[in-house]
Amino acid sequence: MKRTWLLLLALYCTSAAVAQDEAAQKAWMDYMTPGSMHKMMAMADGDWKTDMTFWMAPGAQPMTQAGNCTNKMILGGRYQESRHTSSFDGQPFEGIGILGYDNAKKVFQSTWVDNMGSGIMYLEGKWDDATRSVTLTGKTTDPATGKEQLIREVFKWVDDNNQVMEMYMMADGKEFKSMELKLTRK
């Protein structure tokens, strides 16, 4: 009788472990499979003309620069790599962004690096169908103070050939618009 009970217990534990393994395997498959948000990102693949306006401080005179951006989906359509080139004050500018959609967290995630700094900016945010935009929030390093600075980015899909990105930063406890980037498909 004791042996039958131990055999039934072993069979139950094995069945439970198999069910857990199957659930875990399904969760991983759902997590790794590109979905509708990834397909939406892929629609922005290609070459874009960029027109940037930026402000160094609230009320400062705006500065402008034109450039180029190339977007391409990478790693099996899971992430979009954006490569930006232009010039800034006579110096070549290069920046690389990675945009992804985390299927488990249901949020967009974005990183940014460029040759005008040595840190990595990280942001997260949710898609808004009504405005066809994603609002991302995060932190970056303020090189003047060495401290983290809160940032907000609003990225809007205007239509298939036009996008707008607005960046907001904090100064003296108040948010101000620090950049606007208009992208037009070539």
Side-chain angles (χ1 to χ4, degrees):
M1 174 100 158
K2 187 175 184 182
R3 184 177 184 155
T4 303
W5 183 82
L6 287 174
L7 189 56
L8 287 173
L9 180 62
L11 183 59
Y12 171 77
C13 289
T14 302
S15 297
V18 168
Q20 282 181 328
D21 285 348
E22 288 173 1
Q25 185 175 20
K26 181 183 180 328
W28 272 107
M29 291 302 292
D30 291 346
Y31 185 62
M32 69 180 273
T33 303
S36 61
M37 293 297 176
H38 300 91
K39 289 176 186 164
M40 182 183 70
M41 285 189 296
M43 290 172 42
D45 276 5
D47 296 321
W48 298 77
K49 175 182 168 277
T50 63
D51 291 301
M52 182 169 61
T53 303
F54 56 99
W55 300 263
M56 297 302 285
Q61 288 292 326
M63 295 183 273
T64 61
Q65 73 183 51
N68 298 290
C69 170
T70 300
N71 293 329
K72 87 175 173 184
M73 295 301 287
I74 60 172
L75 299 175
R78 290 171 180 84
Y79 308 93
Q80 186 176 66
E81 176 187 79
S82 297
R83 292 190 170 259
H84 292 256
T85 57
S86 64
S87 62
F88 178 76
D89 203 21
Q91 306 255 353
F93 173 80
E94 296 177 86
I96 301 171
I98 301 291
L99 180 65
Y101 182 78
D102 186 311
N103 287 333
K105 290 176 76 174
K106 307 287 188 235
V107 296
F108 281 91
Q109 297 171 323
S110 173
T111 60
W112 175 261
V113 294
D114 61 47
N115 64 332
M116 298 289 178
S118 58
I120 300 173
M121 183 170 46
Y122 176 80
L123 305 117
E124 281 192 1
K126 295 200 175 228
W127 173 254
D128 180 4
D129 266 335
T131 61
R132 293 181 41 94
S133 66
V134 60
T135 299
L136 303 143
T137 58
K139 296 177 181 177
T140 191
T141 302
D142 179 349
T145 64
K147 295 180 181 177
E148 285 189 335
Q149 182 176 31
L150 298 176
I151 52 174
R152 180 171 66 94
E153 178 181 304
V154 179
F155 197 92
K156 182 173 182 155
W157 279 259
V158 177
D159 57 40
D160 290 346
N161 298 310
N162 296 280
Q163 299 178 338
V164 176
M165 186 276 286
E166 297 175 326
M167 178 76 68
Y168 298 87
M169 302 180 100
M170 300 294 287
D172 297 325
K174 295 179 183 173
E175 185 180 71
F176 76 99
K177 186 175 182 177
S178 60
M179 182 173 50
E180 181 176 275
L181 182 66
K182 293 179 180 177
L183 298 101
T184 306
R185 192 182 296 275
K186 290 184 178 181

